[in-house]
Amino acid sequence: MSGEVPQGWTLTRLRGLLAESEEPGSTGLTADKLTVKLYGKGVLAKHDRVPGSVNTRYFRRRSGQFIYSRLDFLNGAFGIIPPELDGRESTADLPAFDILPTADPAWLLYFVSRPDFYERHGSAAIGSRKARRISPDELLALELFLPPLPEQRKIAAILSSVDEAIQATRRVIDQTRRVKEGLLQDLLTRGLPGHHTRFKMTEIGEIPEGWEVRSLGQVLESLDHLRVPVKSTDRAETKGTVPYYGASGIIDWVNESLFNETLLLLGEDGANLLTRSSPIAFVISGPAWVNNHAHVYRSKGRVMLDFAAHWIESQSLEPWVTGSAQPKLNGKAAARIPMPVPPLLEQKGVCDVISGLDGNIECEGEKRRSLDAIKSGLLQDLLTGKVRVTFDKRNRSV
């Protein structure tokens, strides 16, 4: 291992921190199995639909052991076995190790889960590019700079506090998204709370008296005839500041625009029409270029584009999508999609409520991204000794 050893640290190998555990277990027919997630995301129970082979040898794993995947070493498949998985089993492809008193388990997991660590040691892996493995002997031979145990604990405590803050922001985001999902259908079909007492049944369900149901084609003007796709090679020669949109958002930048107004884009093709892993309907404003994978709409004045986008995002488009290998929502089908049309003032009120929730989600998302960047910097600085922490040499961190 290259580099100068930080003062007070020692150059060692992982075999000074880990001892392989090979407690005999069951066979593939009866073993209660566990597995390791990629990129340091933890250890979890594995539930196979089909039992394993009676000839496959399993080993019993214990709570607090370090475990990794020989095949996915280069993808950061490391973890500490939690108490609830004590006694579960894995094959030799997922070796487990008792952590010796020289290492703090949390510090060790932070150290090995850094891409800088597992990618740098990829040359030790055996096999082809698609199936490179690293054996326990090779893992244990890897060198590292080891801080004193109290310093390890202080480093782990600092990183854990950042992780706790990151988890807190994720919980707020998840909770706000659940609130939004719970409110969305009511807001879009029943209006603002307390505003309506009389409702009528329509093809999209109950809506307030005074609302209408119209198709997208009746309230939106299609501008699809103005779309122009540009090859990636041509885009590379015309880089600029104008966003180039595809089915789910910006995919590139160009130096000219086809549109320069507020418009609604709706994905025309791709699996995302059904899986909804990213937005399919979104509003854009200002100079833009749109390819032929997104429908382009202008409001005819009876509906706010934000309201239309929220409605489309809340609905399953399966009845209007054709194709399975390559799902497609053609223009004629999209024009038939029904939607509620409240008075414009009420549309604005509904959009304001949803926008407020979206703003809270984005604010927490920005906070999480900032914390992720802070953690990334701390991982590099604290785990390499570039930045040192103070601690009580009597084994109490300060």
Side-chain angles (χ1 to χ4, degrees):
M1 184 172 185
S2 60
E4 184 178 346
V5 182
Q7 184 177 3
W9 293 22
T10 57
L11 176 62
T12 187
R13 296 181 187 274
L14 278 176
R15 67 167 54 94
L17 312 180
L18 300 171
E20 187 173 5
S21 171
E22 295 183 308
E23 181 182 348
S26 311
T27 69
L29 286 177
T30 59
D32 290 325
K33 302 161 191 171
L34 53 73
T35 189
V36 187
K37 298 181 73 174
L38 305 182
Y39 308 115
K41 297 297 178 64
V43 184
L44 68 160
K46 182 179 181 182
H47 302 288
D48 291 331
R49 294 182 180 180
V50 180
S53 170
V54 69
N55 297 318
T56 303
R57 184 183 179 192
Y58 278 76
F59 300 90
R60 202 172 309 279
R61 308 311 188 186
R62 296 301 177 186
S63 169
Q65 288 180 334
F66 173 79
I67 188 170
Y68 82 102
S69 168
R70 295 173 59 154
L71 179 61
D72 286 314
F73 175 90
L74 297 178
N75 294 316
F78 307 101
I80 302 291
I81 299 173
E84 63 270 21
L85 298 184
D86 183 70
R88 282 192 170 260
E89 303 177 34
S90 70
T91 67
D93 281 337
L94 272 67
F97 304 79
D98 294 317
I99 300 174
L100 302 180
T102 48
D104 175 77
W107 173 88
L108 176 66
L109 186 58
Y110 279 122
F111 185 89
V112 300
S113 296
R114 291 178 304 132
D116 181 62
F117 172 79
Y118 57 78
E119 291 175 357
R120 175 164 50 89
H121 291 297
S123 59
I126 298 173
S128 68
R129 177 177 292 273
K130 292 185 178 180
R132 292 187 293 176
R133 298 170 183 263
I134 186 165
S135 70
D137 286 342
E138 289 163 325
L139 175 78
L140 296 175
L142 298 178
E143 292 183 329
L144 71 155
F145 295 144
L146 182 69
L149 191 57
E151 191 169 357
Q152 294 178 41
R153 291 172 176 154
K154 183 62 180 290
I155 291 170
I158 293 170
L159 294 172
S160 294
S161 68
V162 179
D163 273 339
E164 289 170 6
I166 291 172
Q167 290 302 320
T169 62
R170 287 176 178 162
R171 286 193 294 272
V172 171
I173 291 171
D174 290 343
Q175 182 180 9
T176 307
R177 282 176 175 161
R178 287 194 294 271
V179 170
K180 177 183 173 181
E181 290 171 4
L183 283 174
L184 200 56
Q185 193 65 22
D186 277 350
L187 287 169
L188 294 172
T189 58
R190 302 182 72 81
L192 297 170
H195 276 53
H196 301 281
T197 57
R198 301 182 65 183
F199 297 85
K200 61 184 179 182
M201 185 58 65
T202 69
E203 62 185 285
I204 62 171
E206 261 194 353
I207 62 173
E209 291 282 357
W211 287 27
E212 300 175 318
V213 175
R214 291 288 181 265
S215 67
L216 293 189
Q218 290 176 312
V219 295
L220 300 176
E221 176 188 357
S222 174
L223 303 181
D224 284 0
H225 61 286
L226 299 177
R227 301 176 302 176
V228 178
V230 182
K231 293 180 180 179
S232 58
T233 52
D234 294 334
R235 297 199 306 268
E237 298 175 358
T238 59
K239 289 292 184 183
T241 59
V242 176
Y244 179 84
Y245 288 93
S248 299
I250 298 172
I251 60 174
D252 210 339
W253 301 85
V254 293
N255 61 7
E256 295 184 56
S257 63
L258 293 175
F259 306 98
N260 190 7
E261 58 183 298
T262 301
L263 299 166
L264 171 67
L265 302 191
L266 171 60
E268 180 172 347
D269 49 33
N272 188 48
L273 287 169
L274 302 177
T275 63
R276 311 300 280 271
S277 57
S278 57
I280 59 168
F282 49 96
V283 175
I284 67 171
S285 187
W289 194 295
V290 184
N291 68 16
N292 57 354
H293 294 288
H295 296 296
V296 185
Y297 297 104
R298 173 192 290 148
S299 175
K300 292 182 178 179
R302 300 184 64 182
V303 67
M304 292 179 61
L305 293 180
D306 284 327
F307 187 90
H310 290 315
W311 171 256
I312 296 168
E313 280 292 305
S314 72
Q315 302 301 300
S316 168
L317 298 185
E318 191 169 354
W320 295 279
V321 172
T322 59
S324 54
Q326 178 65 8
K328 185 175 180 65
L329 175 65
N330 65 46
K332 289 184 179 179
R336 296 197 304 270
I337 298 173
M339 68 169 291
V341 182
L344 283 171
L345 188 60
E346 191 164 3
Q347 291 182 44
K348 183 180 185 307
V350 169
C351 289
D352 286 346
V353 174
I354 298 172
S355 178
L357 294 171
D358 285 338
N360 291 340
I361 292 171
E362 177 55 32
C363 182
E364 290 298 320
E366 182 60 35
K367 186 187 299 183
R368 188 195 68 195
R369 289 187 287 273
S370 296
L371 288 168
D372 285 339
I374 290 170
K375 179 183 174 182
S376 179
L378 286 173
L379 282 169
Q380 179 62 26
D381 292 344
L382 295 177
L383 294 172
T384 61
K386 182 179 179 180
V387 172
R388 302 295 297 273
V389 298
T390 59
F391 61 93
D392 188 326
K393 293 184 179 179
R394 292 171 297 177
N395 213 34
R396 296 196 303 267
S397 59
V398 296

